[in-house]
Amino acid sequence: MALKARLDLRQSQSLVMTPQLQQAIKLLQFNNIELSSFIDSELLENPLLERADPGQTFAESGDGAVGNGEQGIDSRTSDDFSDREDRFGTDRLTSSETLSTGDSSPLDCAPDALYNGEGEISADGAPVAGSHDYTAPYSGGGTGGSGGGGGEDLPGLEQTLADQVTLRQSLDDQLNVAFVDAISRMIGSYLIDMLDDSGYVAGPLEEVAEALECDMADVLRVLKAMQGFEPVGIFARGLAECLELQLRERNRFDPAMAALLANLELLARREFDRLRRICGVDADDLSDMIGEIRTLDPRPGRTADGEPATPVIPDVLMRSAGNGNWHLELNSEALPRVLVNEDYAVQIGKGLRNREERSFLSEKLQNANWLVKALHQRATTIMKVSSEIVRQQDGFFNHGVSHLRPLILRNIAEAIGMHESTVSRVTNGKFMATPRGVFELKYFFTTAISSSDGGDSYSSESVRHRIKLLIDGEDPKKILSDDKLVELLEKEGIDIARRTVAKYREAMRIPSSVQRRREKKAGVS
């Protein structure tokens, strides 16, 4: 067969991951903290982007930017949004349309890009009563400045804020007050450096004496004095000593408590009969002693110098609208308001002199418009997913965790016409504030436990809840084994294996039936 060259023309389709598409995917999976950091960097790099005034509306903005209550949307960012310019005239929009939640109550379509089932933003809207009342930021310093008061010598408000004192700084201050001689302070500084994250002295004291070439008696003297520093329990050489220091501070350290601290391994194994004999107390006294130990802090260093707990800022706010309806809206504090300053673009465009400058301006304007559009699409997608979750888990919000339905990503993806990977990105790191608490969106996705009678499946979370209720209500004289729990659950129509019951019980940190029998017998809860 002869070989010859031939030219063919074929058509094919492929998905190209453009930089803008990659950025849209990143924006979708960002949580509110990561999104805020990303927006800050974009504001620094793009001169055409600016953060919108929280109270600004379309009528007040002179550059054609419009807001949807959470993000500023420029009316000229895309042809897709040109016909929606009159829809975002208020900071809060609401819709009178209701969405069915399936078997039970409808879901009240709420403001801020709430999905209405057709991929559109609700057009008919009115301001919602009780919307956020934003106030002007404080302006510190300056003469004659409004809200600041005072003259130029007065510091700004941000300069009057106290710095967070670290554990090291606090211990150094206490060390300087406790000792005046240089040798004691040097030993104390060395001991501070030896503290681990929990506040324990990590290492032998002989190391201190050898490194500083001092007497061991001086090291022990300084250590004993520093064990009285705040927080109580610091500079302990182990868990038992840490608890002892805190009990001495409360004047609750006696021979019985000393015997208990010397046998903490028995407490960990829940051998309460042996502990009663060793401590020489009855069941009630032992129960009180254990309860007091539970109130102590085993890691005083981590509590004092740990990172401050970052409060969860919900992305979606949910409240009851009455008559079984639910009202959803995006949290304005979790989403930045960004708009494109086209007036500034026009102004600097008149002074451009060469092709490179015009190309730079065109690129920045295109990126700014696309970013604003991507932020709006992100907000809309979050509301689509959230509203569908509320529809399918309506029983949970009305009746509690026992009515949590089994749910997987595919159920939501098929309902809203999106890919499972998109739903996964939206639910990761996003939180919803509900009347039952603040939950991550992923919380509502649980595996299914089949029904023994062929009925609807049960959510794994609701089964866990049921196991906990059965154990909490068990008779102290008839402790429920895992096999007995399986039998009781089967009578309720839940088909579950023994190993699954054991796995759920251990995940909830519930002891085995043997350990619970010891506790109940000893009278220790």
Side-chain angles (χ1 to χ4, degrees), residues 269-288:
R269 295 198 299 265
R270 302 176 182 272
E271 297 183 13
F272 302 116
D273 291 336
R274 291 185 60 186
L275 282 176
R276 285 202 309 271
R277 292 194 298 268
I278 293 174
C279 298
V281 296
D282 57 17
D284 292 337
D285 289 338
L286 180 61
S287 178
D288 293 339

Side-chain angles (χ1 to χ4, degrees), residues 67-133:
N68 72 338
E70 308 299 340
Q71 308 163 93
I73 304 299
D74 194 288
S75 61
R76 288 162 283 184
T77 56
S78 170
D79 294 336
D80 296 338
F81 294 94
S82 60
D83 60 340
R84 302 181 185 176
E85 188 169 321
D86 58 340
R87 300 184 181 183
F88 301 95
T90 61
D91 283 340
R92 292 284 180 200
L93 301 180
T94 186
S95 171
S96 58
E97 183 180 355
T98 58
L99 298 179
S100 173
T101 56
D103 299 333
S104 52
S105 58
L107 172 68
D108 181 23
C109 273
D112 307 330
L114 177 59
Y115 182 57
N116 65 359
E118 301 175 358
E120 292 279 342
I121 306 302
S122 302
D124 51 342
V128 176
S131 60
H132 293 288
D133 182 19

Side-chain angles (χ1 to χ4, degrees), residues 218-230:
D218 290 333
V219 177
L220 293 174
R221 172 180 56 84
V222 174
L223 175 63
K224 184 177 181 180
M226 296 182 70
Q227 286 179 342
F229 286 5
E230 294 289 341

Side-chain angles (χ1 to χ4, degrees), residues 210-261:
E210 181 180 353
L212 300 180
E213 296 185 359
C214 61
D215 294 335
M216 189 64 181
D218 290 333
V219 177
L220 293 174
R221 172 180 56 84
V222 174
L223 175 63
K224 184 177 181 180
M226 296 182 70
Q227 286 179 342
F229 286 5
E230 294 289 341
V232 181
I234 201 77
F235 291 104
R237 287 164 289 182
L239 175 60
E241 188 175 24
C242 176
L243 301 178
E244 177 184 342
L245 293 174
Q246 297 178 57
L247 290 169
R248 288 186 181 276
E249 177 69 18
R250 301 182 181 184
N251 197 22
R252 291 289 298 159
F253 188 74
D254 52 26
M257 189 66 76
L260 178 59
L261 295 183

Side-chain angles (χ1 to χ4, degrees), residues 413-433:
E414 292 177 351
I416 63 178
M418 289 185 174
H419 196 270
E420 290 182 42
S421 61
T422 303
V423 178
S424 177
R425 293 187 179 96
V426 170
T427 55
N428 185 31
K430 312 299 188 306
F431 293 84
M432 180 163 57

Side-chain angles (χ1 to χ4, degrees), residues 341-353:
N341 193 336
E342 292 196 358
D343 283 347
Y344 180 64
V346 173
Q347 179 181 355
I348 64 176
K350 296 178 181 178
L352 299 181
R353 293 166 294 182

Side-chain angles (χ1 to χ4, degrees), residues 481-497:
S481 64
D482 292 342
D483 290 325
K484 187 61 177 179
L485 289 172
V486 171
E487 180 182 342
L488 294 176
L489 292 173
E490 287 182 349
K491 291 180 179 179
E492 298 180 6
I494 301 175
D495 185 13
I496 188 171

